[in-house]
Amino acid sequence: MVMVPRTISPAPVAVDSFIPRHVGPSPADQQVMLATLGYDSLDAFIDAVVPEQIRFRGTLNTGAQQSEAQVLASLREMAAKNRVCRSFIGMGYYGTHTPNVILRNVMENPAWYTAYTPYQAEIAQGRLEALLNYQTMVIDLTGLEIANASLLDEGTAAAEAMALAFASRGSATKNVMLVASDCHPQTIAVVEARASARGVTIKVADPRTFVMDETVFGVLLQYPGTDGAVVDYRGLAEQAHAANALVIVASDLLALCVLTPPGEWGADIVVGNTQRFGVPMGYGGPHAAFFATRDEYKRLLPGRIIGLSRDVEGAPALRMALQTREQHIRREKATSNVCTAQVLLAVMASMYAVYHGPDGLTQIAHRVHTRAVTLAAGLERLGFAITHEHYFDTVRVEVGAHGQEDILAAAARHDINLRVLEPGTITVAVDETTTEQDIADLWQVFNNDAPADFGYADVATDADARYDERFRRVTPFLTHPTFHRYHSETEMLRYLYSLQAKDFSLVHGMIPLGSCTMKLNATAEMIPVTWPEFGALHPFAPREQAAGYAQMFRELEHDLAEVTGFAGVSLQPNAGSQGEYAGLLVIRAYHHARGDAHRTVCLIPQSAHGTNPASAVMAGFSVVVVKTDTDGNIDVDDLRDKAVQHSANLGALMVTYPSTHGVFEARIKEITAIIHEHGGQVYMDGANMNAMVGVSRPGDLGADVCHLNLHKTFCIPHGGGGPGMGPIGVASQLVPFLPSHPVVASHEVSTAIGPISAAPWGSASILPISYVYIKLMGGEGLAYATKVAILNANYIAKQLEAHYPVLYRGQNGLVAHECILDTRGLKTVAGIEAEDLAKRLMDYGFHAPTLSFPVAGTLMVEPTESESKEEIDRFIEAMIGMRHEIAAIERGEADREDNVLKNAPHTAGHCTADVWTHPYSRQQAAYPTPWTRDRKFWPTVRRVESAFGDRNLVCACPPIESYAPASA
Ligand SMILES: *Cc1c(COP(=O)(O)O)cnc(C)c1O
């Protein structure tokens, strides 16, 4: 057959065009793939896949493609408009020295940042160990028993703590949480926003005036307070416990190196941010928040927990604990919706602790405290009153209303940012980066801009002895050898690389996780993230210092609005889950504003991702499940019935498009029209936007809100399970309700909902990644990427359909950007389950597709546009190879129990052991294809037994002896 291409998709021929760097298959490869599918051009193929009624026929107005050099040059100019001043604002964000060994080898290292959430533990032992270190660090420093491996930010963590306390309250009459007025204002606001939707009453007050009656289920304290005060809360904790209320403490790990940990004075939950452990401020994020609690609440702990288990040989092996819970996020019974967290940043913070060890951390904490105390002593000499006797790093100074103006003017002249706590009161927060010169400059700022007549050495005070027994930490921390071994850079480098070598990431091969969109995270996209003009800004710095950011936000908001077909965008949500929650709060506010507060029913299809129902509940909706039909589409009749039945109270529909089954439902416009007819708003889960960009737009389909997972579709790397960003686009009627922020007026309208993130633009410092991607591709390039993503998925479906049934298809028998392989039948014929295939794929050098979502016992494959035909063909060969291995079992030639699949993955230790008892060869085990000889990735543990670990939950570094190899 002679292929005569009717149209050639944008032919990006220029050598400096980024498009062929991002898109794997060459135009020639595409022709071959199209031929397999029976199409002669990419456009004809896309016309067949995407239903005409949902098609976007324009070109996205996001500009023409630019070269890497061009985009980075213009971004440099933009970055130069940000002014990096010295910030002494504090409020949970501090200057920090990222150890360079961590900066280059973790933060800037694709082997760390391109990995996914460790769903496949056998090829993720490296970051699992780093995360166990993180949990150990949090447990030790907070004095509690169990910790998770990160939440999104401190405000969210406090809100999650409230949810835990609320869920475990003894009686339904308890619905009040008392919040200390000296919590960070953004924390209070995030908690209030969360509380209002759940019917929780928040009472903000001075903790000395707290009334602990029987309605109180929790108290939230900040230790040290936002104004620096360190207060003894032992008595208050006792009162709270006497009233059956939980004590939640927002704290600071650096302070806890020298202060009594809250777990020792009555805290039930401790939350906070680990930013100052070596993670740049980044104008708000990303950084890892922590969450620690008592053992009795472990089953309510939000986010992911890493735990120790063992493999089939009994060797210690790590994995995500309680994972079945995690996979379904317990749907509408969930207390939390957190999915993507902040793994890369948690790894960085844990490595900061590993590198410095307890002595180094204590030294840093002492130095910070000494700087603060010295600053205060000098200010007293200058005649100022220091409010608090006990503080850690933040000095509260009473300056009087008049003095304030002069001080702020002097500060501005010195490029110094201070915080005005209230009229006449200024706070100064120092950190690891504060120098003696900084302290002298601060004195000058407070001294009518004249140098003080004393020097640092004159007032320097050794802070060591300042805390009495109420406050001084006595319990040792980080005693585990891991925190004592890697203090030389050589040892640290080798430790980092030894962990990295255990993890499969995009540097090794395809990670075809359906719904996760593991595409290229190009180096050019990553480079701006560590520019100081983006990295070193405090999120609450005056806005005129962030003009470059402001410009980027404007352009990105414009482009994302264009991509989604919406009128407005909020960049605040830190992950897809938070976008869902934000979008639903926006819908709720819209109904409230129209006097429709009763519209609280949220329809959600059976096949929805677990975050959907969890978010709906968090936003105050009650979930009604809609059926899916046998083709995997929404059962429109059932949807209409439910919409009619709940017409008076219908609030929203949450729908994923294309569906979680990877199909473009042709009836989507009919579906959104039914919801609108009955007074509801449509929330579209945009996790699958990689199938839509430039080809179809949510806003044109009748959706009212949609989140975008920038860490899926728009190239932010997954970081091993975070960071992410989940901005939302909304239709015009919802724009007035987009989230605001209490410190920085990011959306200054009275109708705005409260913040859903601690920082006004969420994890601002990773937004350049998506910005650069959009500019490199241009409007046509973005659509081209989508088309190739769809082509790649259909090519896989076609090549594998004879070996594994493809579960769902849309029109013309085609899928969208992913396909579900039905492996359930293999259980009956050969005793093989999807999990066996997932593990055996490791032997073939691949990461498994998504396992058992959205359909139990199946594999969902998403290749993305970035995978080349060669890599895809290798994957296909691996899948077919496994099918032959299964056929051998069916024929009785291979044993039903002792076979290559059941025993997978095979480690080097296993394959080279002196004794080999299996009926197949070592070669078959380890090198099932020729290319594995060339590029072998060895899993470091054999199959991990999850149930064992869940029965014996160990979530901190175990004593070193337990790592001794089990006797054979
Ligand atoms: C990834 C995903 C989410 C959750 O997004 P996070 O960024 O991980 O919070 C929600 N829905 C679907 C369909 C997803 O694939």
Side-chain angles (χ1 to χ4, degrees):
M1 185 158 71
V2 181
M3 304 304 309
V4 186
R6 264 211 320 255
T7 55
I8 305 241
S9 292
V13 284
V15 69
D16 57 357
S17 169
F18 173 73
I19 295 172
R21 310 293 184 192
H22 176 83
V23 172
S26 68
D29 290 334
Q30 291 169 31
Q31 288 305 323
V32 176
M33 297 160 84
L34 287 163
T36 330
L37 291 159
Y39 295 89
D40 60 8
S41 79
L42 190 56
D43 286 331
F45 162 71
I46 291 298
D47 286 346
V49 180
V50 185
E52 184 52 38
Q53 57 272 36
I54 70 150
R55 192 70 192 276
F56 172 71
R57 290 279 177 192
T59 299
L60 292 174
N61 178 24
T62 58
Q65 61 160 307
Q66 296 174 42
S67 71
E68 297 185 24
Q70 283 169 325
V71 176
L72 289 179
S74 66
L75 200 61
R76 272 254 179 244
E77 279 175 34
M78 219 185 281
K81 295 179 191 164
N82 290 334
R83 216 148 54 77
V84 181
C85 295
R86 284 179 286 176
S87 282
F88 300 94
I89 299 170
M91 301 176 81
Y93 303 96
Y94 305 90
T96 178
H97 291 302
T98 309
N100 288 307
V101 64
I102 296 173
L103 176 69
R104 174 155 292 183
N105 300 295
V106 179
M107 192 179 184
E108 298 177 338
N109 180 350
W112 283 95
Y113 66 65
T114 67
Y116 197 70
T117 302
Y119 286 138
Q120 298 297 333
E122 295 83 358
I123 49 175
Q125 291 294 304
R127 60 192 184 280
L128 286 165
E129 179 170 329
L131 293 173
L132 197 75
N133 293 345
Y134 177 84
Q135 291 176 179
T136 305
M137 167 183 95
V138 171
I139 288 168
D140 279 11
L141 285 169
T142 58
L144 283 169
E145 288 153 353
I146 185 166
N148 70 12
S150 89
L151 288 176
L152 296 160
D153 58 35
E154 182 166 334
T156 312
E160 294 287 346
M162 175 191 75
L164 189 157
F166 190 59
S168 62
R169 74 205 155 132
S171 111
T173 58
K174 283 183 171 295
N175 65 347
V176 172
M177 185 158 93
L178 304 176
V179 175
S181 47
D182 70 344
C183 289
H184 296 317
Q186 72 275 17
T187 304
I188 297 177
V190 171
V191 168
E192 280 177 330
R194 180 83 75 93
S196 70
R198 292 301 302 275
V200 169
T201 303
I202 296 292
K203 292 186 182 167
V204 181
D206 183 330
R208 286 170 298 197
T209 68
F210 276 1
V211 181
M212 304 282 185
D213 60 26
E214 66 288 349
T215 64
V216 175
F217 68 83
V219 302
L220 173 62
L221 305 167
Q222 183 111 33
Y223 171 85
T226 194
D227 69 349
V230 177
V231 176
D232 180 4
Y233 284 124
R234 285 180 178 81
L236 194 137
E238 274 171 28
Q239 286 173 29
H241 290 151
N244 282 322
L246 295 192
V247 177
I248 303 162
V249 179
S251 192
D252 172 24
L253 293 188
L254 193 64
L256 296 184
C257 293
V258 289
L259 291 174
T260 309
E264 291 180 15
W265 54 251
D268 301 291
I269 303 172
V270 182
V271 298
N273 186 356
T274 60
Q275 178 265 317
R276 70 190 316 176
F277 276 29
V279 182
M281 285 187 280
Y283 202 46
H287 340 107
F290 63 86
F291 191 113
T293 186
R294 300 197 185 285
D295 193 60
E296 62 189 282
Y297 303 115
K298 66 184 173 217
R299 287 185 194 267
L300 290 171
L301 187 61
R304 288 156 177 158
I305 314 161
I306 308 310
L308 184 69
S309 189
R310 62 181 188 198
D311 73 4
V312 291
E313 285 179 13
L318 300 164
R319 89 285 174 243
M320 295 200 289
L322 312 173
Q323 204 178 9
T324 28
R325 173 199 87 146
E326 130 84 31
Q327 292 215 344
H328 305 283
I329 316 188
R330 295 184 305 177
R331 302 185 67 91
E332 57 268 29
K333 290 198 190 64
T335 50
S336 166
N337 67 345
V338 173
C339 181
T340 288
Q342 301 282 19
V343 168
L344 187 72
L345 303 313
V347 169
M348 286 180 69
S350 78
M351 289 304 174
Y352 179 92
V354 166
Y355 196 42
H356 288 302
D359 295 344
L361 292 179
T362 305
Q363 208 185 100
I364 293 167
H366 273 307
R367 196 198 293 156
V368 167
H369 186 46
T370 300
R371 291 264 192 271
V373 168
T374 306
L375 169 70
L379 290 174
E380 279 178 329
R381 273 211 201 188
L382 294 173
F384 291 96
I386 305 301
T387 322
H388 299 301
E389 186 189 349
H390 295 292
Y391 50 87
F392 170 62
D393 61 2
T394 301
V395 180
R396 176 176 169 147
V397 199
E398 307 302 337
V399 298
H402 175 64
Q404 178 179 313
E405 292 314 307
D406 293 343
I407 292 167
L408 293 179
R413 283 193 292 277
H414 289 268
D415 279 349
I416 281 177
N417 294 325
L418 300 173
R419 176 184 183 197
V420 178
L421 187 75
E422 56 193 47
T425 304
I426 286 175
T427 58
V428 188
V430 300
D431 58 51
E432 184 195 2
T433 68
T434 308
T435 60
E436 294 184 8
Q437 184 60 49
D438 290 330
I439 300 292
D441 291 347
L442 284 164
W443 286 330
Q444 177 164 346
V445 160
F446 279 82
N447 189 37
N448 299 319
D449 211 356
D453 60 3
F454 50 86
Y456 189 89
D458 300 327
V459 279
T461 313
D462 180 9
D464 265 20
R466 276 188 51 100
Y467 295 128
D468 60 28
E469 68 286 351
R470 287 173 302 162
F471 300 121
R472 193 182 313 123
R473 171 184 267 276
V474 289
T475 316
F477 60 97
L478 304 184
T479 53
H480 192 272
T482 299
F483 298 95
H484 297 262
R485 280 184 175 162
Y486 310 111
H487 298 171
S488 81
E489 183 164 331
T490 303
E491 286 297 332
M492 185 67 185
L493 191 66
R494 289 179 189 156
Y495 182 53
L496 290 172
Y497 274 77
S498 73
L499 295 188
Q500 172 187 320
K502 297 177 177 181
D503 286 16
F504 190 95
S505 71
L506 286 178
V507 307
H508 300 104
M510 170 153 80
I511 303 183
L513 282 165
S515 212
C516 302
T517 313
M518 300 297 291
K519 57 160 73 172
L520 171 73
N521 315 116
T523 313
E525 293 152 8
M526 296 303 294
I527 277 177
V529 173
T530 45
W531 290 350
E533 295 86 345
F534 287 126
L537 257 64
H538 191 288
F540 305 151
R543 288 183 74 176
E544 58 273 17
Q545 292 172 15
Y549 261 122
Q551 183 184 345
M552 188 190 56
F553 296 155
R554 260 194 319 274
E555 291 187 27
L556 188 59
E557 284 172 5
H558 166 275
D559 289 351
L560 297 180
E562 172 71 10
V563 163
T564 51
F566 281 130
V569 167
S570 168
L571 296 174
Q572 199 176 96
N574 267 324
S577 62
Q578 305 306 294
E580 293 171 22
Y581 165 65
L584 290 168
L585 280 188
V586 164
I587 291 175
R588 180 174 183 271
Y590 164 83
H591 288 314
H592 277 243
R594 293 160 47 99
D596 280 344
H598 55 277
R599 291 197 169 273
T600 56
V601 169
C602 184
L603 304 184
I604 300 184
Q606 234 165 18
S607 60
H609 193 266
T611 51
N612 287 192
S615 300
V617 170
M618 278 169 50
F621 288 88
S622 48
V623 174
V624 172
V625 177
V626 178
K627 287 185 203 146
T628 33
D629 66 19
T630 46
D631 299 328
N633 293 322
I634 290 182
D635 180 336
V636 180
D637 292 335
D638 189 52
L639 176 96
R640 191 180 290 106
D641 288 351
K642 301 256 159 78
V644 169
Q645 188 189 336
H646 297 282
S647 187
N649 299 317
L650 187 62
L653 165 74
M654 290 188 91
V655 57
T656 305
Y657 204 79
S659 72
T660 51
H661 293 149
V663 180
F664 286 106
E665 276 163 291
R667 294 174 77 180
I668 185 68
K669 282 186 163 173
E670 192 185 336
I671 289 169
T672 57
I674 292 171
I675 298 304
H676 288 151
E677 224 171 275
H678 293 278
Q681 294 278 290
V682 176
Y683 186 95
M684 193 166 274
D685 179 330
N688 289 345
M689 271 303 284
N690 213 45
M692 288 179 79
V693 177
V695 166
S696 178
R697 306 196 304 174
D700 301 342
L701 307 184
D704 301 289
V705 198
C706 164
H707 79 255
L708 298 169
N709 303 65
L710 297 188
H711 47 302
K712 294 178 180 171
T713 314
F714 291 92
C715 298
I716 292 177
H718 285 264
M725 272 296 275
I728 51 172
V730 298
S732 56
Q733 77 277 11
L734 297 179
V735 172
F737 306 102
L738 287 174
S740 62
H741 193 275
V743 185
V744 182
S746 56
H747 184 59
E748 215 169 348
V749 291
S750 60
T751 43
I753 61 165
I756 40 85
S757 299
W761 291 278
S763 297
S765 69
I766 51 174
L767 290 174
I769 301 169
S770 299
Y771 177 88
V772 171
Y773 172 64
I774 290 169
K775 296 303 163 198
L776 289 172
M777 297 297 281
E780 284 183 25
L782 288 173
Y784 175 64
T786 304
K787 294 171 187 176
V788 177
I790 296 173
L791 173 62
N792 279 353
N794 277 282
Y795 177 69
I796 291 178
K798 183 77 189 171
Q799 299 291 54
L800 288 180
E801 68 186 5
H803 308 276
Y804 304 92
V806 173
L807 196 49
Y808 300 114
R809 298 168 193 267
Q811 66 180 27
N812 299 312
L814 297 166
V815 298
H817 65 312
E818 59 194 5
C819 63
I820 299 179
L821 302 177
D822 193 352
T823 48
R824 291 171 298 188
L826 303 174
K827 175 126 203 233
T828 359
V829 298
I832 293 299
E833 301 187 54
E835 190 187 14
D836 300 317
L837 293 161
K839 302 306 176 193
R840 179 62 174 153
L841 267 176
M842 295 173 192
D843 292 335
Y844 280 87
F846 286 99
H847 190 288
T850 294
L851 182 62
S852 288
F853 172 80
V855 183
T858 64
L859 296 172
M860 182 158 68
V861 184
E862 179 182 4
T864 84
E865 70 277 14
S866 296
E867 293 301 339
S868 66
K869 178 171 179 295
E870 208 180 345
E871 180 75 356
I872 289 172
D873 283 337
R874 270 199 293 268
F875 175 74
I876 289 166
E877 195 187 329
M879 290 300 297
I880 295 173
M882 291 196 298
R883 189 62 191 85
H884 291 321
E885 291 167 355
I886 295 166
I889 304 171
E890 286 177 62
R891 289 192 304 268
E893 290 161 18
D895 190 86
R896 260 182 98 92
E897 291 308 322
D898 192 355
N899 60 56
V900 281
L901 289 123
K902 283 284 171 210
N903 292 332
H906 295 82
T907 60
H910 181 200
C911 291
T912 58
D914 288 343
V915 183
W916 180 262
T917 57
H918 304 297
Y920 52 90
S921 73
R922 292 168 150 116
Q923 158 126 352
Q924 273 176 297
Y927 297 114
T929 61
W931 81 79
T932 43
R933 290 226 164 255
D934 204 33
R935 268 204 203 177
K936 180 67 187 173
F937 185 89
W938 288 104
T940 53
V941 294
R942 293 192 58 196
R943 200 177 298 191
V944 178
E945 295 188 339
S946 276
F948 173 80
D950 285 348
R951 281 193 306 274
N952 312 281
L953 203 58
V954 177
C955 301
C957 296
I960 206 76
E961 311 82 70
S962 67
Y963 278 98
S967 46

